[in-house]
Amino acid sequence: MKKTAIIYLSKTGFTKKYAQWTAEESGADIIPFSEAKKRRDKILTEYDSVVFGSRLIGGTINGLSKAKKLFYTGKIPFAVFVTGATPIDAQDTAPTLKKMWEQNFTPAELDSIPHFYMQSGLSYENMPFIEKQMMNAFKSMLKKKKGAEGISEGMAEVLGSSFDNSDKKFAAPLIQWIKG
Ligand SMILES: Cc1cc2nc3c(=O)[nH]c(=O)nc-3n(C[C@H](O)[C@H](O)[C@H](O)COP(=O)(O)O)c2cc1C
């Protein structure tokens, strides 16, 4: 049976939860990014594919550059999933996400790296102090100027407090990809 490593970076728990759901359904192994960085060579020989899961911070996929350098080697398939507070059903979500993919990947990478968005939420309780401050800065910026770079109006509306829109169903396309 083919083996997949799901390498994840998670601060407030949403990405970890999606990594766990995906692993349960697909039989993949999950490895925190901090550990995976140290075991890179072993991972590339022990596994048949690697998935990198992370979170959106100001439209950027946290840790992606490093993950690409380490695991997007051309030797084994590499896929990416990203969690974000942007609700998938808001009117301007599709163009916001399109822009986000284009900012994080080159056109060639977008063709060769399967990529998945999973709606999550916000957890102020688990957010590092510095990130709470960043959220406050975002909020006041959005009050002054609607539609800031990489932030949809859908997200601007939900920034106020903690919420959880995550659902197993958003992991289904990635589970399908892993099962091949
Ligand atoms: C400082 C900060 C910036 C964020 N920027 C975005 C963003 O640009 N787009 C988005 O959809 N979500 C954004 N989020 C929400 C996170 O991406 C979301 O909560 C994510 O699932 C957190 O993952 P984790 O729980 O695995 O750490 C932001 C959150 C923080 C704290």
Side-chain angles (χ1 to χ4, degrees):
M1 200 180 130
K2 290 204 166 189
K3 276 177 77 183
T4 299
I6 302 175
I7 295 165
Y8 70 91
L9 190 166
S10 183
K11 289 268 187 217
T12 66
F14 291 111
T15 311
K16 184 177 182 180
K17 188 165 63 175
Y18 273 117
Q20 284 168 335
W21 279 339
T22 305
E24 279 163 22
E25 295 293 325
S26 66
D29 291 340
I30 54 171
I31 309 170
F33 191 36
S34 51
E35 244 181 68
K37 284 191 241 181
K38 297 180 211 150
R39 290 169 41 199
R40 183 237 190 198
D41 291 347
K42 226 171 162 230
I43 289 170
L44 285 176
T45 49
E46 267 181 20
Y47 289 91
D48 302 292
S49 59
V50 164
V51 174
F52 176 66
S54 184
R55 56 193 196 129
L56 274 179
I57 294 293
T60 296
I61 302 174
N62 196 193
L64 179 65
S65 304
K66 184 92 190 163
K68 279 195 289 203
K69 264 193 207 123
L70 294 174
F71 298 104
Y72 180 49
T73 59
K75 284 188 202 135
I76 57 172
F78 176 74
V80 169
F81 79 89
V82 64
T83 69
T86 304
I88 49 141
D89 52 359
Q91 218 188 1
D92 61 344
T93 296
T96 302
L97 289 183
K98 185 170 180 285
K99 207 166 161 190
M100 181 276 287
W101 294 125
E102 288 167 357
Q103 280 168 351
N104 285 278
F105 294 99
T106 66
E109 286 169 349
L110 282 178
D111 277 345
S112 62
I113 302 175
H115 45 282
F116 305 88
Y117 176 73
M118 299 181 195
Q119 146 180 318
S120 61
L122 284 174
S123 174
Y124 281 96
E125 299 75 24
N126 297 317
M127 221 177 266
F129 176 72
I130 183 83
E131 297 193 355
K132 266 187 217 163
Q133 286 187 317
M134 279 168 76
M135 288 308 294
N136 286 334
F138 266 147
K139 278 187 263 178
S140 51
M141 185 179 84
L142 288 166
K143 250 186 226 158
K144 285 181 212 140
K145 175 179 166 276
K146 273 202 160 184
E149 197 68 19
I151 310 286
S152 72
E153 283 182 31
M155 180 167 167
E157 279 165 25
V158 296
L159 284 180
S161 48
S162 295
F163 66 97
D164 183 356
N165 278 339
S166 57
D167 193 301
K168 256 186 182 171
K169 70 181 179 203
F170 299 120
L174 173 61
I175 292 165
Q176 202 57 40
W177 180 82
I178 293 173
K179 286 181 166 175

